[in-house]
């Protein structure tokens, strides 16, 4: 027993070192190092080769380890390298993880990361090690691939000593095989789990003293080729990543919710507490993070020869199936805090112990979960669980906004919305982290505005706009999502992409970036023009014309009702809004001829929509020419496009709210419905529209569900529902842009019943703050604008000029 304690103490010391090396030392130099990049690396073929392990399949599933000994006589202040791989890599220098990637793109824009590895080098011998994996046919839908490969290029001649070529050695890590998740009743395309047989381990291959004599000299495939450079080779067009590397933060599970076959220490898992599982025992432990997270779980264990360990991941537990013929019965979750009488379904990793001390498992890619089910089946030897913890990951957004009010619900919704937005943002925005990890335009437009209002970091938004522009087909329409290995088209999402261009132009001082994208805007509208009838109405637009996940008569898999003649008010109004938006962009940035053309098309469409869909008896716009179906969607779009104005818009907004016979918008499309209600003059009621978000919270969700039907929601994390994180600032505090690039600030608060409210948001020149207190029937408003930024406040139709670079104190009746 004493010997075991000594072993565990030694193990704990190694755990401490491992934690420092593998986790806490992951404070990378996230800088893009633009000032130190060698410009010639964009202009000619790299001297470094793409390398692979000889004799291994090019496209199939496989995990590969590469290493190189590098002797350094003197460590310099900088040692800059450029690295990429297919599918993905982890780079280690002397056992320390220093880079993960590459950021997802396509073969024509294959990202490489630029990093300074000088802080990780030492005088003498250094071990450069890289894990590269290709998930083959099981790879995530968002993962585009050419073949397995790794490339590292030194930034200068001196740094080229690190270049990938035959001096690198490689081996296939046969421990790994794919595990396909048992999620057959839903759309899941986020990649496999991992089965890792530790008995087939290649050993401590990152150590200096490791014997790699049985490893193979790497196969040189071909030189790295920057985008735009011609050589007689195929493959990836290398492109410098324009986003920082992902944030990594250590965290611990909050509690054990349930056990079977084992009793865990009281301090576990909130604190490191080792315990033993006897031989020939089956034990199950249900761990609760207490909130949804994207993280790399790390399991430390010892001994237990041939024991099988399973780590399974779930957003929530599922109620027992009631009707196996109904797919929805497989999705029912109930309150996410409840576990009794429920079943565990989720992605899984399996590890087979080799019986040695100091074994560690961390999956190659991060997992999404609130709950983790740890199952252990021991054989002839007990197994010691030394610890389990995790490292959360995501795009390194910082919350740079503030909101203070007398209403605690706002804080709950704001915090939950921010968590949702963070989990749906890594190397791209994502619709959801658990099931798809795909950057859909409909989701991304909302997510990007959240980034601007809550963080001020626009790099992921720029990246998204560019990627989606690059996805356009020859027909002119963008793909619905990108990057994606399989093309999917949602033409209305291309129209919302034009909205994204306008959002960026409105809030960021970078008109040239949007000006470059106007050719894409024109091609999108040209695509739609081919399906316009003489009166401007769309007819038989191909592909999946998704509007919202509404479920009502006439709605089919998210497609709004279409008339017998092939016309749809929802499609016509979305096109109208895009024409209006594009006309404004062209007037300010592009060609007046295009602006005139789009305004002409918009005017024609307005007349057609009024004639074709307005029902005078109901005082509503119908979903189709038959005037038998009506929705919040169509009537909200009518307000947003200016089809109705002033008193007529206000009256229509009232009917949108009160008429429950209308097809109701889900949590996603409520973004546009709320914008319409605010435009019509009902902004003071904004907090009264939070019932969906209150219901999410009452069901124990820590992020916003994909659809309004919370019990049957597939995904528990969709950031398209986080739009209150925009409107708390834009609507309640009233902070908005009234000039390109946020050059003019407009403040028009909608305080509703709030007695006091205040906060601030980031601005390209600093920050904007607004605070309001109701006193003696008057509102005391204190507004502070950045330097050299004019603005004004609107209150009950009256305008008040605001001071630049200082506070303005107003008393409003």
């Amino acid at each position: 027993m004493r010997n075991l304690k000594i072993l565990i103490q030694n193990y704990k010391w190694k755990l401490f070192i491992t934690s420092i090396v593998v986790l806490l030392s992951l404070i990378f130099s996230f800088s893009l190092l633009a000032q130190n990049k060698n410009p010639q690396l964009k202009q000619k073929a790299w001297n470094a080769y793409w390398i692979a392990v000889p004799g291994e399949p090019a496209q199939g599933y496989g995990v590969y380890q590469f290493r190189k000994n590098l002797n350094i006589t003197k460590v310099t202040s900088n040692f800059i390298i450029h690295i990429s791989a297919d599918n993905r890599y982890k780079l280690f220098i002397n056992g320390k993880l220093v880079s993960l990637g590459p950021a997802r793109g396509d073969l024509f824009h294959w990202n490489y990361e630029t990093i300074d590895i000088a802080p990780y080098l030492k005088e003498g011998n250094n071990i450069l090690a890289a894990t590269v994996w290709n998930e083959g046919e099981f790879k995530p839908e968002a993962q585009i691939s050419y073949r397995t490969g790794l490339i590292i290029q030194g930034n200068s001649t001196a740094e080229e000593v690190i270049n990938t070529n035959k001096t690198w050695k490689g081996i296939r890590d046969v421990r790994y095989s794919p595990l396909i998740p048992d999620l057959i009743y839903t759309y899941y395309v986020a990649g496999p789990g991992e089965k890792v047989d530790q008995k087939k381990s290649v050993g401590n291959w990152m150590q200096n003293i490791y014997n790699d004599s049985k490893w193979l000299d790497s196969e040189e495939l071909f030189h790295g080729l920057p985008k735009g450079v011609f050589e007689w080779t195929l493959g990836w067009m290398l492109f410098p990543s324009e986003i920082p590397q992902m944030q990594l933060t250590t965290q611990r599970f909050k509690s054990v919710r349930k056990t079977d076959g084992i009793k865990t220490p009281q301090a576990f898992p909130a604190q490191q507490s080792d315990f033993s599982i006897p031989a020939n025992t089956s034990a199950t432990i249900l761990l609760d993070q207490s909130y949804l997270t994207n993280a790399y779980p790390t399991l430390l264990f010892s001994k237990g020869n041939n024991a099988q360990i399973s780590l399974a991941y779930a957003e929530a537990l599922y109620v027992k199936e009631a009707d196996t013929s109904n797919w929805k019965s497989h999705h029912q979750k109930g309150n996410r805090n409840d576990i009794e009488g429920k079943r565990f379904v989720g992605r899984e990793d399996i590890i087979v112990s080799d019986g040695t001390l100091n074994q560690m498992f961390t999956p190659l890619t991060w997992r999404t979960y609130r709950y983790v089910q740890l199952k252990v089946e021991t054989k002839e030897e007990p197994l010691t669980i030394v610890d389990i913890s995790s490292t959360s990951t995501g795009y390194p957004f910082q919350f740079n906004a503030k909101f203070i009010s007398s209403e605690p619900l706002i804080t709950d919704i704001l915090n939950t919305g921010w968590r949702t937005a963070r989990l749906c943002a890594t190397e791209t925005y994502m619709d959801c982290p658990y099931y798809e990890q795909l950057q859909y335009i409909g989701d991304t437009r909302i997510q990007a505005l959240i980034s601007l209002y809550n963080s001020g970091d626009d790099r992921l938004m720029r990246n998204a706009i560019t990627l989606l522009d690059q996805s356009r087909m020859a027909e002119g329409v963008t793909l619905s999502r990108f990057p994606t290995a399989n093309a999917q088209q949602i033409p209305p999402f291309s129209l919302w992409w034009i909205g994204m261009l306008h959002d960026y132009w409105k809030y960021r001082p970078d008109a040239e970036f949007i000006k470059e994208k106007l050719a894409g805007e024109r091609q999108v509208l040209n695509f739609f023009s081919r399906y316009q009838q003489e009166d401007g109405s769309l007819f038989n637009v191909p592909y999946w014309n998704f509007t919202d996940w509404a479920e009502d008569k006439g709605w089919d898999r998210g497609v709004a009702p279409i008339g017998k003649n092939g016309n749809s008010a929802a499609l016509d109004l979305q096109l109208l809004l895009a024409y209006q938006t594009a006309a404004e962009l062209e007037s300010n940035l592009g060609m007046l001829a295009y602006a005139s053309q789009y305004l002409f098309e918009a005017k024609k469409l307005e007349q057609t929509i009024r004639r074709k869909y307005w029902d005078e008896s109901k005082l509503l716009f119908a979903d189709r020419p038959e005037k038998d179906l009506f929705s919040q969607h169509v009537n909200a779009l009518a307000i947003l496009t200016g089809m109705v104005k002033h008193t007529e818009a206000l009256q229509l907004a009232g009917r949108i709210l009160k008429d429950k016979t209308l097809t109701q918008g889900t949590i996603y499309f409520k973004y546009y419905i709320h914008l319409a209600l605010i435009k019509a003059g009902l902004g003071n009621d904004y907090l009264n529209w939070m019932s969906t978000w209150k219901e999410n919270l009452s069901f124990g969700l820590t992020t916003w569900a994909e659809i309004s039907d919370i019990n049957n929601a597939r995904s528990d994390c969709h950031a398209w529902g986080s739009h209150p994180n925009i409107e708390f600032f834009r609507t309640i505090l009233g902070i908005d842009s009234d000039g390109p690039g946020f050059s003019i600030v407009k403040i028009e608060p909608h305080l509703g019943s709030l007695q006091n409210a205040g906060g601030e948001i980031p601005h390209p020149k600093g920050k904007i703050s607004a605070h309001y207190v109701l006193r003696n029937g008057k509102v005391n408003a204190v507004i502070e604008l950045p330097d050299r930024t004019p603005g004004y406040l609107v209150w009950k139709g009256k305008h008040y000029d605001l001071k630049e670079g200082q506070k303005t104190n107003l008393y409003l009746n």
Side-chain angles (χ1 to χ4, degrees), residues 293-310:
T293 186
N294 296 337
Y296 296 90
T298 296
L299 177 68
L300 303 168
F301 59 100
S302 192
K303 305 188 80 172
N305 190 38
N306 288 320
Q308 180 167 290
I309 307 167
S310 165

Side-chain angles (χ1 to χ4, degrees), residues 148-406:
T148 304
L150 168 69
I151 190 167
I152 302 176
Q153 168 69 48
N155 191 60
S156 67
T157 302
E159 292 151 331
E160 284 194 338
V161 66
I162 204 173
N163 282 8
T164 43
N165 49 38
K166 287 183 179 180
T167 64
W168 282 73
K169 289 195 167 186
I171 193 171
R172 179 169 187 153
D173 196 330
V174 295
R175 288 180 297 169
Y176 289 88
S177 57
L179 278 178
I180 309 306
D182 184 17
L183 297 166
I184 60 174
Y185 292 103
T186 191
Y187 182 57
Y188 174 88
V189 289
E194 300 165 19
K195 184 172 183 180
V196 180
D197 188 345
Q198 292 288 84
K199 298 173 79 67
K200 300 176 181 178
S201 172
V202 296
N204 296 319
W205 62 283
M206 295 185 199
Q207 292 186 356
N208 207 336
I209 59 173
Y210 180 79
N211 183 359
D212 60 11
S213 60
K214 293 183 179 180
W215 289 39
L216 300 175
D217 293 342
S218 293
E219 176 186 359
E220 296 176 344
L221 300 176
F222 40 78
H223 290 286
L225 198 65
K227 182 172 176 60
V229 175
F230 173 75
E231 287 288 348
W232 294 107
T233 58
L234 301 174
W236 310 268
M237 297 185 183
L238 290 163
F239 195 79
S241 175
E242 297 182 346
I243 62 171
Q245 292 209 19
M246 298 301 100
Q247 188 175 36
L248 294 163
T249 306
T250 57
Q251 62 183 8
R252 298 200 66 87
F253 290 92
K254 182 178 180 181
S255 64
V256 171
R257 294 294 301 275
K258 192 175 184 179
T259 62
D260 182 25
I262 189 67
K263 185 175 181 180
T264 59
Q266 185 174 358
F268 179 84
Q271 300 176 24
Q272 189 277 321
S273 302
D274 49 77
F275 58 95
S276 182
I277 300 173
N280 301 310
T281 298
S282 179
T284 302
I285 303 169
L286 182 63
L287 301 169
D288 187 354
Q289 185 70 48
S290 80
Y291 53 84
L292 200 66
T293 186
N294 296 337
Y296 296 90
T298 296
L299 177 68
L300 303 168
F301 59 100
S302 192
K303 305 188 80 172
N305 190 38
N306 288 320
Q308 180 167 290
I309 307 167
S310 165
L311 289 171
Y313 315 93
E315 294 181 314
L317 273 62
Y318 294 76
V319 301
K320 292 184 177 179
E321 300 172 23
D323 179 8
T324 55
S325 65
N326 179 6
W327 67 270
K328 278 192 174 183
S329 68
H330 296 273
H331 285 185
Q332 293 177 6
K333 299 176 182 178
N335 192 298
R336 280 25 173 208
N337 295 324
D338 297 339
I339 64 170
E340 295 302 326
K342 291 187 173 182
R343 57 197 169 90
F344 194 104
V345 179
R347 188 178 187 177
E348 180 184 26
D349 296 318
I350 292 177
I351 310 100
V352 177
S353 173
D354 65 7
T356 63
L357 299 173
N358 306 343
Q359 297 177 72
M360 181 173 71
F361 170 76
T362 299
L364 297 170
T365 58
W366 48 267
R367 305 292 188 242
T368 300
Y369 59 85
R370 171 179 170 176
Y371 294 99
V372 170
Q373 182 173 263
L374 171 61
K375 294 180 70 174
V376 179
E377 293 186 6
T378 57
K379 302 301 182 183
E380 68 278 4
E381 183 181 36
L383 180 136
T384 298
I385 298 292
V386 178
D387 196 18
I388 184 169
S389 61
S390 67
T391 305
S392 66
T393 187
Y395 185 90
F397 281 123
Q398 298 296 316
F399 190 78
N400 295 320
K402 294 180 182 178
F403 196 104
I404 304 170
S405 79
S406 54

Side-chain angles (χ1 to χ4, degrees), residues 113-133:
E113 279 73 42
T114 297
I115 54 175
D116 183 359
I117 63 171
Y120 308 98
L121 297 174
K122 61 183 181 180
E123 291 184 3
N125 199 49
N126 294 264
I127 301 299
L128 284 54
T131 299
V132 175
W133 64 97

Side-chain angles (χ1 to χ4, degrees), residues 480-684:
S480 67
R481 62 198 191 192
F482 202 73
T484 180
N486 293 299
Q488 184 198 73
Q489 302 80 17
I490 300 179
F493 276 12
S494 295
L495 301 177
W496 294 128
W497 178 75
I498 295 175
M500 284 187 68
L501 300 183
H502 188 273
D503 294 340
Y504 189 91
W505 170 73
K506 181 178 179 179
Y507 292 103
R508 308 310 290 173
D510 188 4
E512 285 302 313
F513 175 73
I514 296 303
K515 194 171 184 179
E516 295 171 357
K517 304 297 185 289
L518 293 183
E521 160 233 285
R522 295 163 190 162
Q523 290 189 38
V524 167
L525 292 175
N526 182 61
F527 166 86
F528 278 91
S529 72
R530 296 200 292 272
Y531 300 98
Q532 287 185 267
Q533 297 173 296
E534 190 173 341
D535 63 0
S537 189
L538 288 166
F539 173 75
N540 285 350
V541 179
Y543 307 119
W544 183 24
N545 288 293
F546 175 89
T547 293
D548 185 24
W549 283 122
E551 292 190 3
D552 208 343
K553 183 179 180 182
W555 287 76
D556 180 20
R557 291 168 293 180
V559 178
I562 299 174
K564 294 179 181 178
N565 63 354
N567 296 152
S568 166
L571 291 182
D572 285 347
L573 282 160
Q574 288 175 80
L575 178 59
L576 171 59
L577 186 59
Y579 273 134
Q580 294 169 340
T581 302
E584 185 176 6
L585 288 173
E586 293 287 355
S587 295
N588 286 274
L589 300 175
M591 298 176 61
L592 293 179
Y594 278 112
S596 297
Q597 177 189 342
Y598 296 154
L599 288 173
F600 173 81
E601 294 294 339
K603 187 66 176 178
K604 182 167 60 174
L605 252 181
E606 287 178 25
Q607 296 171 352
T608 296
I609 289 168
R610 170 71 71 168
R611 184 188 73 254
K612 188 172 288 188
Y613 303 111
W614 176 252
D615 188 316
E616 190 64 36
S617 64
K618 292 183 178 292
L619 298 178
L620 291 165
F621 287 90
D623 290 348
R624 56 189 185 184
E626 288 85 344
K627 299 181 180 179
D628 58 341
L629 301 174
F630 300 84
S631 66
Q632 287 186 323
H633 309 72
V634 161
N635 288 280
L637 288 168
I639 294 174
L640 289 176
T641 55
M643 291 292 304
V644 290
K645 299 176 181 178
H646 311 305
T647 302
E648 189 180 11
L650 182 59
Q651 292 172 345
L652 183 57
R655 288 188 282 275
I656 290 172
L657 282 172
K658 295 176 183 178
D659 190 346
K660 301 306 178 184
T661 67
L662 301 180
T663 297
Q664 302 292 295
T666 73
I667 191 171
Y668 157 55
F669 211 84
K670 285 182 186 294
Y671 172 68
Y672 296 104
I673 295 169
H674 290 172
L675 287 183
L677 298 176
I678 294 162
K679 182 176 181 178
L682 297 179
N684 281 310

